[in-house]
Amino acid sequence: DSGVTQTPKHLITATGQRVTLRCSPRSGDLSVYWYQQSLDQGLQFLIQYYNGEERAKGNILERFSAQQFPDLHSELNLSSLELGDSALYFCASSVDPGTEAFFGQGTRLTVV
Amino acid sequence: GIQVEQSPPDLILQEGANSTLRCNFSDSVNNLQWFHQNPWGQLINLFYIPSGTKQNGRLSATTVATERYSLLYISSSQTTDSGVYFCAVERGGRRALTFGSGTRLQVQP
């Protein structure tokens, strides 16, 4: 158990819908990262937050947004979903950027 | 951005065999991690090793930062070692891990 908790584990939804993925980082970790793993793109960095503020953006679509709350949990919002958004979404956390990152078990999103 | 190349892409071993997985990266890094993704999709931390050598049971890793590569050694492989092994690196400015495409390992009984 990495100490990073993601919910839900599985999610099936229709095209055009909106979903929210939740992540609770390890106790004491201030940095939260979101990654997407799809078959054709591999593991891609989406966005990073540090102590409530956005720190870095990767290949995140405009239809996607995220935030980190005062209690340090984070949510990733995916809207206007398309079939191609089907993927495994991971959250990771670390004490500081550059230190060891630990990953949650992922949320498997299927868009039908 | 930084490029991360892993080799070989696929590897099939008999139980008990040893193997070496390689990770080459294109620029200096502040962080390098090895992960094992098991058949259930979980990403399990193996090593945090921006430089030097570490060992954990049957696994060991070496990173030569000046030559921009890292090696993961698996000895006496077991069927439970099957899965995909990822190398991921971070440059200071990017502040997020960039993953290689992985090595898919299958250990046969």
Side-chain angles (χ1 to χ4, degrees):
Chain A
D1 183 4
S2 67
V4 180
T5 303
Q6 289 187 247
T7 56
K9 291 182 184 179
H10 302 276
L11 197 50
I12 301 176
T13 191
T15 54
Q17 295 298 304
R18 171 189 169 95
V19 297
T20 298
L21 313 184
R22 183 188 168 99
C23 169
S24 293
R26 293 189 319 154
S27 177
D29 285 358
L30 299 179
S31 271
V32 168
Y33 313 80
W34 287 97
Y35 290 83
Q36 178 194 57
Q37 185 178 30
S38 59
L39 284 175
D40 56 346
Q41 296 288 330
L43 269 154
Q44 300 279 315
F45 166 65
L46 296 178
I47 197 164
Q48 180 209 359
Y49 283 83
Y50 179 79
N51 202 20
E53 294 191 3
E54 182 185 304
R55 273 295 182 92
K57 265 187 175 179
N59 301 321
I60 189 165
L61 299 172
E62 286 192 9
R63 301 183 285 109
F64 296 0
S65 65
Q67 58 184 133
Q68 186 180 28
F69 294 87
D71 67 352
L72 301 178
H73 91 271
S74 179
E75 292 180 356
L76 179 67
N77 300 298
L78 315 176
S79 62
S80 303
L81 285 167
E82 302 174 0
L83 296 178
D85 297 326
S86 296
L88 191 51
Y89 291 84
F90 285 105
C91 170
S93 74
S94 66
V95 173
D96 288 309
T99 60
E100 187 173 7
F102 294 84
F103 282 71
Q105 63 196 13
T107 293
R108 189 171 298 277
L109 173 67
T110 302
V111 183
V112 298
Chain B
I2 194 167
Q3 304 300 312
V4 183
E5 294 183 0
Q6 291 187 243
S7 60
D10 296 281
L11 188 57
I12 300 175
L13 299 175
Q14 292 298 122
E15 207 167 18
N18 303 327
S19 61
T20 301
L21 282 56
R22 187 176 180 103
C23 171
N24 292 334
F25 42 96
S26 61
D27 207 339
S28 59
V29 298
N30 291 340
N31 177 5
L32 188 146
Q33 293 186 240
W34 283 97
F35 297 91
H36 174 215
Q37 187 167 36
N38 64 23
W40 296 271
Q42 290 179 293
L43 276 170
I44 299 163
N45 287 42
L46 297 178
F47 295 101
Y48 169 75
I49 187 166
S51 64
T53 297
K54 291 186 177 180
Q55 180 155 7
N56 184 3
R58 296 181 296 105
L59 302 182
S60 63
T62 294
T63 297
V64 184
T66 53
E67 296 188 21
R68 298 179 185 168
Y69 73 89
S70 183
L71 302 174
L72 177 68
Y73 305 96
I74 304 174
S75 64
S76 304
S77 58
Q78 301 175 358
T79 56
T80 51
D81 295 332
S82 296
V84 183
Y85 289 80
F86 288 103
C87 168
V89 303
E90 180 200 333
R91 291 184 61 198
R94 176 66 184 262
R95 296 182 174 269
L97 291 170
T98 298
F99 281 78
S101 53
T103 292
R104 184 173 298 276
L105 174 64
Q106 183 180 346
V107 180
Q108 297 178 336

